[in-house]
Structure formats: structure tokens, C-alpha cells
Amino acid sequence: MNPLASKKRASLLLIAPAALLIFFFLVLPYLTIVVMSFRVPGDGTPYAPGFTTGNYLHFFSDSFFLQQTFNTLMIGAICTLVCLVLGFPVAWQLARGNSRLRGIAYGIVLSPLLVGIVIRSYGWTIILGNNGMINRTLISMGLVDRPVGLMYNTLGIVIALSHVFLPFMILPVMAAIQGIDPSLESAARSLGASRATIFRRIILPLSMPGIQAGCILTFVLSLSAYVTPALIGGSKVKTMAVTVVDTLVDTFQWPFGSALALMLAVTGAVIVVIFARMTRMKWKAA
Amino acid sequence: MTEVSIERLTMDYGVHRAVDGISLRIRNGEFISLLGPSGCGKTTTLKVIAGFEHASSGAIRFDGNDVMQVPAEKRDIGMVFQNYALFPHMTVAGNLAFGLEMRKLPKAEMQSRIAKVLEMVQLSSHADRYPNQLSGGQQQRVALARALVIEPKILLLDEPLANLDAKLREEMRVFIREIQRRVGITTVYVTHDQAEAMTMSDRVVVMFGGKIAQMGTPAEIYDQPASVEVAKFVGQVNLLRMKVEAITGDGGMDVSGPFGVIKVKSIEGAAPGRAVTVAVRPEAIDLVSPSEGQAATIASSYYSGSLMDYRARLADGTLIDVQTFPRQRFADGEAVGLSIPADRWWPLEVTA
Ligand SMILES: Nc1ncnc2c1ncn2[C@@H]1O[C@H](COP(=O)(O)OP(=O)(O)O)[C@@H](O)[C@H]1O
Ligand SMILES: [Mg+2]
């Protein structure tokens, strides 16, 4: 056998475990869901024999589901924006700040990841509830006389999700900023650029790869988040992920639940692709 | 065209004094090198001139105007960084346009200036390339062009050739110096490479430990070093311990040593009986026949193509480095004579 072919075979062998893993735990389940979404809804059983496009027709003809998809995408987009606005300065400090504070800040940023998502979300119900920390503080300060609704609404979900996914924005943005040579800022200054101009013309475009990665991660994670919106939104406000689980588990409509899940995945993917296109970079890092 | 004057400039990083009270006047269009070992405060001095760091004390004036309170972006300085610091997301033309955009120049003038400078650095055909599509030497030239295109008052360069290979480095020395002459811009050039400083500069400022050790033309620095440290840092040198025999009336003194009694310039603290260190450069020494010069034997030799380095041993065991052109070769162990013109001896310091 020629050496090139044997090299090729060796590399195939090396990627085989990962490929198998991806196939069995990602491709196969997805295919199952796709197939399921075309099955006929059953009566008393999860599904009946035969195939149909009815589940999708149901989705497109019911404004409730369209509205909910839109709401979920909006929540994802707002969370992404909030994480970006809050996360960028933190990422900057982590990348460029003085070294002693950096260790502490790094710990604080990562700490949400160390606590389970269920516990974190319960934490938020304690803070956001009508009798929670925020409302009690506001009332005792006399700023409001009735509790402000922070639970069981979109605002609460956005607040809690932003907290949960903030690290996923900060870490890639920080990595990108660390990759920017500080002497570029000096160079821009010597050429006459103000701080704002340096940020707009140098820092922002050069941290774009990190911003892009961070936005995609937060967006996708907020779309698919279940625990946090389920706990904070309760039965009043539901995101698509919550409805999907309700449909699958509570009402046993496996085919329709699968169709809902796929519609959310597809619209999310389309938005991610458009976003990646829009923020595509013409240059390559050195 | 700008004259720069630096007065008793001091810069502390916390308790560490990086620049220690340096004073310096740079004339219009002059090319000055700050030369010194790593960590001696060259970059810090440059950063203070550029306005990236605030001096702890002292003053900097451009044409008599104090600029200490002027922020870096308003100082009108062209700076070339060691790693070039080109904006990777902008083309060559984009990099050059950046400083002009800050100055809100009309588009047409911008384009003509960029074209002119690009031609000067011989990169006209590379205007649309991104920095990572250029070689190190080309990136270096873009960095120079970007600093010059804004027509700054002063050009500052921080070890701009350190990342280039030896051959290109020598070409770029000439290239940078020629452009500097043509533009006529006041220039401060930082380097730890003495050959670079010597070949490029009108004047060299040698720095040690944040202080100026000596300031002068390359020839002054090389032939009349102010201290043992300077003599050793700038080129190779033989340092010989000699004894002062007499102070002569004409500002000179007679000293005795392995080469007998010789006459050198008198220095501070010299008195009959005191020990002095006297320097002689290896290439000031000629190898002649044993009868014509101070007798010695060749201890070792190193051939480097254009030059020949010998180490010769005197009768009393003193080793002397000699550098000659390899026209006439001497074998190890061969008896030779060392001939040194009287004016090539340079007394440095009184040691005892
Ligand atoms: N930002 C800084 N903080 C603390 N010390 C510094 C800083 N920059 C430089 N120094 C110290 O100041 C001295 C001079 O540094 P520098 O001017 O960079 O030297 P050079 O350019 O001659 O190699 C060095 O001892 C260096 O360690
Ligand atoms: Mg330096």
C-alpha cells in the first residue's frame, strides 16, 4: 500500500470515535425527530401509523405557535444583546485589566457555570418574586408601593437567561481581545485617534470573531433553554422550548412536538447563518 | 521641521526609576539614536516623548513649546513600532489613510499623499494587500510609510529592524536613513545594536540604567568613549592597566605598561603613581614583523571572511585582540610585532 493511502487510513481511524459519537448521539436522534414530525398524531398513543405533513400545517396555521416562535427568537436576540453590552466591558477588563483583579474577576465570571442551572434559576425566583429581594428593596425605599412584576413575564426570563449565559459571551470576547496587540492602540493614538475612534475602528472590528462566537452561543443557548424559562415564566409566559416539552411530555403529542422543535431549530439556524454572513470578516488574523 | 528639547526627564514605574534625569537637545532634521542594553530605558524615553507615558518630572519641548500636557493623539508624532503594529483588518492603503482620516483631509489629497509615500517606500503595487500578505521587510516599510504620511513633527522608531534577518536589516538601515534625509524629519531611533546606531545616526546617545552615559557623533563615541562601560558596549576594545609616570604640561600624561612608556591625554584624577585603564581598539593595531613592533605571539585566530580576528599574547602574558584584513595571514604560535599609532590609545579612568 502506498504511504499516502495508509496515512489517510490512519487519519480516518483517528476521527472514527468522534464521528461515531456524533452519529449516534446527534445525527440519529435528529433523524428520529425529523421522521417523528411527519408521523400521524395518535389517539391515546403517541402516534399512529402513516405519514403526514399535517403537523407543519398545524404550526403554520396557528398564530399562537407563530407568535410564540417569534417571542422566543426575540427573547434570544434580547438576551444576546444584553450579554454583549454587559459582557464586553467585563471581557475587556479580564483581557487587559491589572493582573491581581483579573484572577478574582475570572472567578466571578465563571462562578455561574459552577452552580447547576436549576439552582441558579431558583435563585432568580427568590430575587425576582413579588416578595423577593428586588421588590422588597424597592418597596422599603419607597420607590414603588406595589411589587413590580418581574416573575412570570418576559422581563424576568430575559434577566435570568442573560445571567445564565453571560459567561458564554464573555469568554470568547475576552479571548479575541487578548489576541489584539496593545501596540495597535498606541499606533492609532499616535496617528491622532481618540479613545472612541480607537474603540470603533480598531478594537471592535478586531474583536469581531469573539463577538460573533459569543453572540451565536448565547443566542442558540437562550433559544433552547428550558429550565430557566420554565421556572421563571411559569404557566404565564412560555418559550418555544417549554411548549415543546409540554407537548411531548404532558399531552403526549410526539409528532406535533417534534415539528415544533424542528421549526424552532430551523428558524434559529437561519438567523445564525444570516448573522454570521453579516458579520463576516474580509481579513484573516496574522 | 522640529527641534526637540528634553530637560531632566525622569520616569518612575512605581519604585523603579526607568529614566533618570536625562537632558537632550535634538536639532531640526537631526537623526539621533538612543543606544543601550535592554532595560536601560530607551523605550520608556520614546514613550514619554510620544505621550504614551507621563513623565514623573522634567520637561519636553517641541520648538520651544512645552508638550507635557499634550495627549499622544495631539502631539503629531510618527511612530514605528518594533512589531510594526499594522492594523491587520485594513489594507496597506487603509493603514496609511487612518492617520489622514483623523486629520480630516480631503479625499483627493489623501490619495495623492498615500500614493507619494507608497512610492517612496517602493510599495505602490501593494496598496490593496492586507498586512499578513506582506513579508516582514514590506510590513516594516508600511509601518514607516504610515508614520510618515501624516507628515509628523517628529519620527520615533523603536527597534524597527529587530525582527528582520541580518541581510535585510543592513539594507533597511540605508533605506530608512535615505528616506529620513529626503524628508528632513527630526528622528529619534532606539536600538541596542551599536552597528545600527553608528551607521545611521548624526549623533548617538548611549544610555545605561536610565542615564545618559555619553552623547556624541558616532566617531566620538567610538574613538573617545567616556567610560569603560561605553567603550565595551560600542564595539570591541582592549583594556590595559597602566601606571601614570608623569603629567606633561600640554594636557597629556606619560603612562607605562606592556607597551613601554606612551603618551596619552591626561584625565581627571590622574597623578604620578596612579593606575589608569587605557583602551585601544583591535582594528587600531597593525601586525608587523617582531622587530618592528611590540613582540607577541599569535594565540588564536578567527576568520570571518572580510576580517581576521587574532588574539596575541605579549611577553608578560597579556592577551591583546587584533583585527585586520586577512590579506596577510599569521599562523597560531607565530611571532609577530604589534604596532599601535600613538593617537589610538585612549585613557578611560583612574582605578587606583
Ligand atoms: N510598564 C512598566 N511597568 C514597570 N516597569 C517597566 C514598565 N516598562 C518598562 N519598565 C522597566 O523600566 C526599565 C526600562 O524599560 P525600557 O524603557 O522598556 O527599556 P529598553 O527599551 O531600553 O529595553 C526596565 O527595567 C523595565 O523593566
Ligand atoms: Mg525597548
Side-chain angles (χ1 to χ4, degrees):
Chain A
M1 197 196 306
N2 73 55
L4 209 70
S6 82
K7 213 169 174 178
K8 213 167 164 186
R9 236 171 64 152
S11 67
L12 274 179
L13 266 172
L14 278 174
I15 62 164
L20 284 177
L21 210 67
I22 290 173
F23 180 77
F24 280 109
F25 291 99
L26 204 77
V27 178
L28 216 54
Y30 244 106
L31 284 177
T32 316
I33 294 176
V34 171
V35 173
M36 182 59 72
S37 72
F38 286 103
R39 286 196 186 275
V40 177
D43 191 14
T45 52
Y47 58 88
F51 291 95
T52 171
T53 54
N55 300 313
Y56 289 99
L57 291 177
H58 180 187
F59 172 84
F60 282 109
S61 59
D62 192 334
S63 66
F64 172 78
F65 293 109
L66 291 174
Q67 183 66 45
Q68 200 168 68
T69 308
F70 178 77
N71 288 349
T72 306
L73 293 172
M74 278 311 284
I75 288 175
I78 293 169
C79 281
T80 306
L81 199 67
V82 170
C83 284
L84 180 59
V85 171
L86 295 181
F88 197 97
V90 180
W92 177 266
Q93 274 305 316
L94 283 174
R96 291 286 166 82
N98 91 36
S99 50
R100 199 147 20 98
L101 282 179
R102 201 167 358 171
I104 301 168
Y106 205 74
I108 294 174
V109 166
L110 289 182
S111 62
L113 298 179
L114 298 174
V115 185
I117 196 161
V118 178
I119 297 175
R120 254 180 298 160
S121 303
Y122 264 117
W124 275 109
T125 65
I126 293 169
I127 294 171
L128 298 174
N130 277 352
N131 202 15
M133 236 166 67
I134 294 180
N135 273 317
R136 270 204 308 239
T137 312
L138 288 178
I139 290 169
S140 71
M141 280 165 60
L143 290 174
V144 295
D145 46 87
R146 267 184 306 140
V148 186
L150 293 170
M151 278 281 284
Y152 313 116
N153 63 16
T154 311
L155 179 63
I157 294 178
V158 167
I159 291 175
L161 278 183
S162 301
H163 167 249
V164 171
F165 296 128
L166 196 54
F168 294 92
M169 179 65 81
I170 291 176
L171 293 178
V173 173
M174 178 191 77
I177 293 174
Q178 273 170 343
I180 304 175
D181 176 0
S183 66
L184 295 185
E185 292 157 52
S186 298
R189 269 190 85 190
S190 74
L191 291 168
S194 65
R195 282 188 197 289
T197 309
I198 294 173
F199 179 77
R200 192 170 48 82
R201 298 276 315 262
I202 311 290
I203 303 300
L204 206 55
L206 289 179
S207 35
M208 216 51 201
I211 292 177
Q212 201 184 47
C215 285
I216 292 176
L217 269 176
T218 6
F219 181 68
V220 169
L221 288 171
S222 342
L223 287 195
S224 57
Y226 170 73
V227 174
T228 309
L231 282 174
I232 309 274
S235 55
K236 290 242 183 65
V237 186
K238 286 186 180 176
T239 62
M240 201 59 175
V242 176
T243 304
V244 168
V245 174
D246 284 354
T247 315
L248 291 175
V249 178
D250 293 352
T251 58
F252 263 112
Q253 298 170 270
W254 286 10
F256 185 56
S258 300
L260 286 182
L262 281 174
M263 285 320 296
L264 179 65
V266 167
T267 45
V270 168
I271 289 174
V272 166
V273 168
I274 292 173
F275 173 77
R277 280 282 169 108
M278 271 168 30
T279 54
R280 190 171 47 185
M281 284 135 287
K282 285 200 300 286
W283 52 281
K284 279 195 230 90
Chain B
M1 296 287 263
T2 305
E3 184 184 284
V4 180
S5 104
I6 297 169
E7 287 154 31
R8 291 191 303 283
L9 190 74
T10 296
M11 172 76 210
D12 296 319
Y13 285 114
V15 294
H16 179 78
R17 182 151 288 186
V19 176
D20 193 357
I22 67 168
S23 295
L24 176 65
R25 285 185 88 87
I26 310 167
R27 290 186 286 269
N28 255 344
E30 191 177 24
F31 193 114
I32 284 257
S33 283
L34 301 183
L35 173 66
S38 176
C40 74
K42 308 178 297 286
T43 297
T44 308
T45 307
L46 218 57
K47 281 183 175 167
V48 175
I49 297 176
F52 299 139
E53 298 279 6
H54 290 286
S56 310
S57 66
I60 298 176
R61 283 180 235 284
F62 294 173
D63 285 333
N65 302 315
D66 191 333
V67 295
M68 293 299 266
Q69 301 310 320
V70 180
E73 60 269 26
K74 301 249 166 68
R75 281 201 194 176
D76 221 0
I77 275 178
M79 178 118 186
V80 177
F81 296 80
Q82 179 172 342
N83 59 359
Y84 319 136
L86 297 178
F87 306 130
H89 57 307
M90 300 180 195
T91 61
V92 169
N95 268 274
L96 265 59
F98 188 87
L100 302 176
E101 284 161 13
M102 298 304 122
R103 284 161 178 73
K104 303 202 165 56
L105 250 62
K107 255 236 144 45
E109 191 185 344
M110 244 161 67
Q111 271 162 1
S112 80
R113 272 218 223 172
I114 291 172
K116 204 179 82 191
V117 175
L118 274 183
E119 188 174 344
M120 191 158 69
V121 299
Q122 296 162 17
L123 283 172
S124 301
S125 56
H126 291 64
D128 297 326
R129 300 261 185 104
Y130 284 92
N132 67 340
Q133 298 169 321
L134 302 174
S135 71
Q138 289 169 335
Q139 290 182 27
Q140 169 66 74
R141 270 140 62 198
V142 176
L144 183 65
R146 185 180 64 180
L148 288 175
V149 77
I150 58 171
E151 296 177 5
K153 291 196 175 111
I154 304 163
L155 179 63
L156 304 177
L157 304 103
D158 190 0
E159 314 226 9
L161 306 183
N163 291 342
L164 301 179
D165 59 63
K167 185 103 178 67
L168 197 54
R169 204 151 55 211
E170 285 187 18
E171 283 170 23
M172 284 301 293
R173 279 182 203 165
V174 180
F175 189 82
I176 291 178
R177 186 64 227 249
E178 262 173 15
I179 287 183
Q180 187 269 341
R181 283 225 177 87
R182 197 156 7 133
V183 179
I185 187 172
T186 309
T187 302
V188 183
Y189 187 97
V190 159
T191 181
H192 65 263
D193 181 334
Q194 53 104 7
E196 219 166 272
M198 304 285 279
T199 51
M200 297 176 80
S201 324
D202 294 318
R203 275 194 303 156
V204 177
V205 177
V206 183
M207 290 178 69
F208 292 120
K211 290 195 168 85
I212 294 182
Q214 189 174 1
M215 181 161 30
T217 64
E220 280 166 1
I221 300 283
Y222 192 75
D223 294 331
Q224 300 160 20
S227 66
V228 170
E229 249 183 330
V230 174
K232 280 161 112 173
F233 192 75
V234 183
Q236 284 176 291
V237 68
N238 291 295
L239 297 172
L240 293 157
R241 254 174 89 87
M242 299 195 182
K243 201 171 105 210
V244 179
E245 295 295 339
I247 305 291
T248 55
D250 52 358
M253 60 181 177
D254 289 334
V255 292
S256 64
F259 286 82
V261 175
I262 51 177
K263 193 175 167 67
V264 296
K265 183 186 75 110
S266 180
I267 53 171
E268 202 184 296
R274 309 291 298 264
V276 290
T277 303
V278 181
V280 63
R281 297 281 182 194
E283 71 282 359
I285 307 173
D286 286 322
L287 291 178
V288 293
S289 70
S291 58
E292 284 171 56
Q294 181 75 33
T297 52
I298 301 292
S300 54
S301 57
Y302 307 92
Y303 174 67
S304 66
S306 60
L307 292 171
M308 195 76 208
D309 288 288
Y310 292 105
R311 184 155 285 178
R313 193 189 310 276
L314 298 180
D316 67 351
T318 311
L319 289 171
I320 305 282
D321 289 328
V322 180
Q323 190 175 59
T324 65
F325 299 109
R327 275 183 214 137
Q328 191 187 0
R329 300 273 197 98
F330 298 90
D332 287 3
E334 198 175 331
V336 293
L338 306 184
S339 162
I340 303 172
D343 64 345
R344 298 308 300 270
W345 292 104
W346 183 254
L348 286 170
E349 60 182 25
V350 175
T351 54

